[in-house]
Amino acid sequence: MEKLIEKAEKTHSLTRDELAALLRCDDETARKLFAAADRVRAAFVGDDVQLRGLIEFSNHCRNNCLYCGIRRGNRQAKRYRLDPEIIIAHAAAAAKLGFKTVVMQSGEDVWFTTDRLTHIIRAIKDMDMAVTLSIGEKSYEEYKAYRDAGADRYLLRIETTDKDLYHRLDPEMSWDNRRRCLVDLKRLGYELGSGSMVGLPDQSIESIADDILFFKEIGVDMAGIGPFIPHEQTPLANAKGREFVLSLKTMALTRLLLPDINIPATTAMETLNPNGRIIALQSGANVVMPNVTTGEYRKMYELYPGKICVNDTPVHCRTCIESKIRAIGRSIGTGKGFRGEYLKKRQ
Ligand code: SAH
């Protein structure tokens, strides 16, 4: 096992079987794996932690993914959408707090037409901030319009590369279309973010190895990996999920294989462990996305239960995470944190 970790640290490549073996490793080996991922993170992307301000701007969704708390079929979910001018005000507040990127995330809400979205993107770009979108599957033309308006990055998790599992988790959606979206986004010159959930019902270890190889194949610039947490108001209420260590291993192996990408310490990790994001930052992650949504909306954007910080303010979240980051001897990134910047620094 140690030989495999060494190989990954030096060559940044492992086979599917080798990845699977490490995903199954014991706690002592896992500690070595996390330490190796931490070294590779330090060598390739440095000690800066990149902060992105997350605006959860609508929980209306036309989709019905079995795992997700804001699925169309969840009648108990209280729905909201922020007015475009309110979203722009959230971004201005984030800029004031020192964020250089905002991530606009929502369900697939058709109220947000291309015109409305491009208006918002342009207004935020005028504040000299990077804009990341995480608003689901769209057409090439729509992605192009957002890009032309100035959007820099796009996050669209593949969720799982096991096609059959993907279709069981959402019989209405098409895995091939999700992949098509990622290819289109890459072609349009976005910094591409994808990612996966770990601990889905009937997800095999081999398929998690495939997820990591998929990130490499599709050429992601960012990979967000988080544990699946069952939501009581969904058909998967009784599933097990909550695989903290396995998620951490997946994330660490992703760092070893894709040494210079951005990897967030995900909020779902902190939901399972009160120190989850810091542990992730010490196991390969270099990005945190503090919530800058205000008031009651935080609670209403409930993808999974037990979401952290639902009663906190943007200022509180920013200060809180900043002091935790400094306490482990890491610094806060002052730029926009594009992957291209790390590549340039190493040349
Ligand atoms: N509509 C957008 C944003 C989705 S929400 C899109 O389709 O990309 C962001 C992510 O939350 C999803 O991609 C999924 O990976 C994650 N998520 C949803 N439900 C979850 C759950 N029950 N547990 C953990 N993560 C979940």
Side-chain angles (χ1 to χ4, degrees), residues 125-156:
K125 287 305 290 179
D126 281 345
M127 302 171 198
D128 189 28
M129 287 220 276
V131 172
T132 304
L133 299 175
S134 178
I135 57 177
E137 296 181 20
K138 307 278 175 181
S139 66
Y140 180 86
E141 288 69 33
E142 289 169 301
Y143 287 145
K144 183 170 187 315
Y146 314 148
R147 179 85 185 122
D148 289 343
D152 303 275
R153 305 187 178 97
Y154 205 101
L155 308 183
L156 185 78

Side-chain angles (χ1 to χ4, degrees), residues 51-85:
L51 298 183
R52 328 281 200 207
L54 176 67
I55 308 175
E56 299 162 331
F57 68 93
S58 167
N59 70 353
H60 288 265
C61 192
R62 63 176 172 177
N63 295 328
N64 218 12
C65 310
L66 261 54
Y67 48 81
C68 184
I70 64 169
R71 66 199 299 271
R72 180 183 79 224
N74 182 5
R75 294 278 157 76
Q76 283 158 272
K78 269 209 264 163
R79 304 288 168 173
Y80 75 94
R81 73 168 57 91
L82 301 186
D83 188 82
E85 297 316 308

Side-chain angles (χ1 to χ4, degrees), residues 79-318:
R79 304 288 168 173
Y80 75 94
R81 73 168 57 91
L82 301 186
D83 188 82
E85 297 316 308
I86 303 284
I87 299 173
I88 296 166
H90 271 74
K96 240 187 174 166
L97 285 175
F99 289 102
K100 297 286 187 289
T101 295
V102 287
V103 180
M104 289 174 51
Q105 192 177 85
S106 68
E108 289 198 12
D109 182 355
V110 291
W111 187 87
F112 284 95
T113 56
T114 303
D115 281 351
R116 285 180 172 138
L117 284 166
T118 51
H119 164 73
I120 300 166
I121 295 164
R122 281 197 199 94
I124 303 178
K125 287 305 290 179
D126 281 345
M127 302 171 198
D128 189 28
M129 287 220 276
V131 172
T132 304
L133 299 175
S134 178
I135 57 177
E137 296 181 20
K138 307 278 175 181
S139 66
Y140 180 86
E141 288 69 33
E142 289 169 301
Y143 287 145
K144 183 170 187 315
Y146 314 148
R147 179 85 185 122
D148 289 343
D152 303 275
R153 305 187 178 97
Y154 205 101
L155 308 183
L156 185 78
R157 287 185 175 179
I158 194 70
E159 314 296 2
T160 170
T161 47
D162 177 340
K163 268 197 196 190
D164 291 339
L165 173 59
Y166 184 89
H167 291 132
R168 281 201 300 280
L169 292 174
D170 194 332
E172 292 169 13
M173 284 175 91
S174 145
W175 189 89
D176 287 324
N177 191 54
R178 206 153 179 95
R179 185 180 196 285
R180 187 274 305 162
C181 290
L182 294 172
V183 172
D184 283 353
L185 290 162
K186 185 95 192 161
R187 188 144 60 108
L188 284 162
Y190 283 93
E191 275 216 346
L192 181 65
S194 193
S196 57
M197 282 182 285
V198 173
L200 292 163
D202 297 319
Q203 184 181 36
S204 70
I205 291 288
E206 279 69 22
S207 85
I208 299 176
D210 287 336
D211 296 346
I212 302 171
L213 295 171
F214 175 84
F215 302 148
K216 208 162 175 151
E217 176 219 314
I218 203 110
V220 300
D221 302 294
M222 183 274 210
I225 293 145
F228 159 63
I229 304 173
H231 190 298
E232 57 274 20
Q233 293 161 3
T234 66
L236 298 185
N238 297 320
K240 191 170 152 280
R242 309 181 74 89
E243 296 271 6
F244 181 73
V245 177
L246 188 57
S247 302
L248 212 55
K249 287 178 180 173
T250 308
M251 195 201 74
L253 286 165
T254 301
R255 169 62 71 201
L256 292 178
L257 264 63
L258 293 97
D260 58 23
I261 65 166
N262 283 316
I263 299 185
T266 54
T267 312
M269 295 230 189
E270 189 107 343
T271 299
L272 297 187
N273 181 314
N275 206 26
R277 286 178 303 176
I278 291 298
I279 296 171
L281 285 174
Q282 294 176 306
S283 312
N286 71 316
V287 174
V288 179
M289 301 180 3
N291 201 327
V292 297
T293 319
T294 52
E296 59 189 328
Y297 305 119
R298 281 187 184 213
K299 219 177 277 149
M300 291 156 78
Y301 194 82
E302 192 186 66
L303 306 172
Y304 48 81
K307 186 181 170 197
I308 56 163
C309 313
V310 285
N311 295 315
D312 294 334
T313 61
V315 188
H316 175 90
C317 284
R318 163 88 202 201

Side-chain angles (χ1 to χ4, degrees), residues 41 45-53 94-95 97-101 129 153 262 281 285-290 318 321-323 325-326 329-338 341-342 345:
R41 184 271 311 152
V45 298
D47 281 342
D48 277 357
V49 175
Q50 311 296 337
L51 298 183
R52 328 281 200 207
L97 285 175
F99 289 102
K100 297 286 187 289
T101 295
M129 287 220 276
R153 305 187 178 97
N262 283 316
L281 285 174
N286 71 316
V287 174
V288 179
M289 301 180 3
R318 163 88 202 201
I321 194 69
E322 188 162 337
S323 66
I325 290 167
R326 293 198 193 280
R330 299 272 280 280
S331 42
I332 306 286
T334 51
K336 291 184 177 138
F338 286 114
E341 296 167 16
Y342 317 135
K345 258 189 214 163

